[in-house]
Amino acid sequence: MNRKLEVKRASAMNVAAQWRRQYYEEKADKWPKTARGASEDVYNRLCDLGVSPDLDAAAAIVGNKSWTHPTCNGCDQYVEKAIVVGYEHNLTMCEQCLEAGLAELRRS
Ligand SMILES: [Zn+2]
């Protein structure tokens, strides 16, 4: 069986590098022009957090938890930890949604 089953935890490790990979225009060797230069500013502030960035500080700089926390597919909330299950497609579930699903299964 090739089933994936792994715990994913909220983390701010490598967030600056991921941010750069997402937004920096490597070929043009520049940050994209935005009204306020926001993506470069966010990157610099994330770098300022150091090699072991504080989770809440990183989320505050980004403006939400989308870069630091897993999103539960059951309740669509950012969570501290979740289980990722899948074969071809992954499903990310928080403990509450998993418990609710288990209870439903056992009741059926
Ligand atoms: Zn959930």
Side-chain angles (χ1 to χ4, degrees):
M1 187 182 288
N2 260 335
R3 178 184 64 199
K4 178 177 191 164
L5 192 61
E6 76 181 40
V7 174
K8 190 172 183 182
R9 293 176 186 278
S11 169
M13 292 298 280
N14 302 316
V15 164
Q18 290 167 19
W19 184 271
R20 182 186 163 93
R21 216 170 10 258
Q22 175 75 30
Y23 292 110
Y24 189 72
E25 296 173 356
E26 289 292 344
K27 283 181 183 166
D29 193 26
K30 67 179 177 68
W31 289 95
K33 278 271 182 261
T34 58
R36 293 172 293 155
S39 59
E40 182 175 14
D41 181 51
V42 168
Y43 174 71
N44 288 333
R45 290 166 65 203
L46 288 172
C47 287
D48 288 346
L49 295 178
V51 290
S52 187
D54 178 77
L55 195 57
D56 293 332
I61 289 169
V62 170
N64 60 56
K65 295 181 173 178
S66 65
W67 286 73
T68 49
H69 292 66
T71 306
C72 174
N73 292 125
C75 60
D76 201 34
Q77 300 294 308
Y78 298 121
V79 294
E80 294 295 320
K81 67 179 179 180
I83 190 81
V84 181
V85 193
Y87 184 73
E88 285 187 20
H89 303 287
N90 291 336
L91 185 65
T92 302
M93 299 282 279
C94 74
E95 190 172 347
Q96 285 178 315
C97 288
L98 205 56
E99 292 280 3
L102 263 180
E104 202 59 36
L105 263 181
R106 288 174 177 151
R107 243 195 317 270
S108 67

